[in-house]
């Protein structure tokens, strides 16, 4: 069974920091892992993603403040969030795109999400 579990969310004041973690398990070869967020009334948006070659993408709103990293051997991805703003408040979800063992198909898996709340 493929499973993604996020942790590290919580309540923090503006200007503070949080570090999110996502641990993936199961027989899957992961190509891309990323973090997305969704605030009430808004669509889910990409925050950051990291490819198997090491390339990364960031949303313009978080560039210079957030850093994504990945431990491929452990299938774990992290999101270091610095200088947090109230606008960052959202449910943050981890995603993994990969090939399940024994199949030629790629599948996008999602964690349940972790709440990040930034107060002013």
């Amino acid at each position: 069974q493929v499973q993604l579990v996020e942790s590290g969310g919580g309540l923090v004041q503006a200007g503070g920091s949080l570090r999110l973690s996502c641990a993936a398990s199961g027989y899957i070869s992961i190509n891309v892992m990323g973090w997305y967020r969704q605030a009430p009334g808004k669509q889910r948006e990409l925050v950051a993603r990291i490819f198997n070659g090491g390339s990364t993408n960031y949303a313009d709103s978080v560039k210079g403040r957030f850093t994504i990293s990945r431990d491929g051997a452990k299938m774990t991805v992290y999101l270091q969030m610095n200088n947090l703003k109230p606008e960052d408040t959202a449910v943050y979800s981890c995603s993994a795109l990969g090939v399940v063992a024994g199949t030629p198909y790629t599948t996008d898996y999602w964690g349940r999400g972790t709440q990040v709340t930034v107060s002013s």
Side-chain angles (χ1 to χ4, degrees):
Q1 181 179 355
V2 177
Q3 185 177 21
L4 279 67
V5 180
E6 302 104 331
S7 62
L11 174 65
V12 64
Q13 291 187 359
S17 299
L18 287 173
R19 190 187 191 215
L20 306 183
S21 299
C22 173
S25 62
Y27 294 102
I28 180 173
S29 179
I30 296 174
N31 297 318
V32 188
M33 295 189 76
W35 288 96
Y36 295 75
R37 67 186 181 187
Q38 186 170 24
K42 298 181 65 177
Q43 291 188 344
R44 189 190 303 268
E45 66 173 342
L46 171 70
V47 177
R49 59 186 174 184
I50 184 167
F51 298 86
N52 57 2
S55 298
T56 58
N57 292 146
Y58 295 93
D60 288 340
S61 60
V62 307
K63 286 181 178 177
R65 300 189 297 122
F66 292 7
T67 303
I68 188 171
S69 60
R70 177 182 173 181
D71 180 352
K74 301 295 184 180
M75 297 195 297
T76 302
V77 66
Y78 306 93
L79 186 68
Q80 180 65 46
M81 310 164 66
N82 297 325
N83 192 23
L84 283 161
K85 304 176 180 180
E87 304 90 87
D88 296 318
T89 296
V91 174
Y92 285 70
S93 300
C94 176
S95 177
L97 178 68
V99 179
V100 175
T103 80
Y105 308 109
T106 57
T107 305
D108 196 5
Y109 292 93
W110 293 86
R112 291 181 174 86
T114 184
Q115 177 71 47
V116 172
T117 303
V118 184
S119 65
S120 59

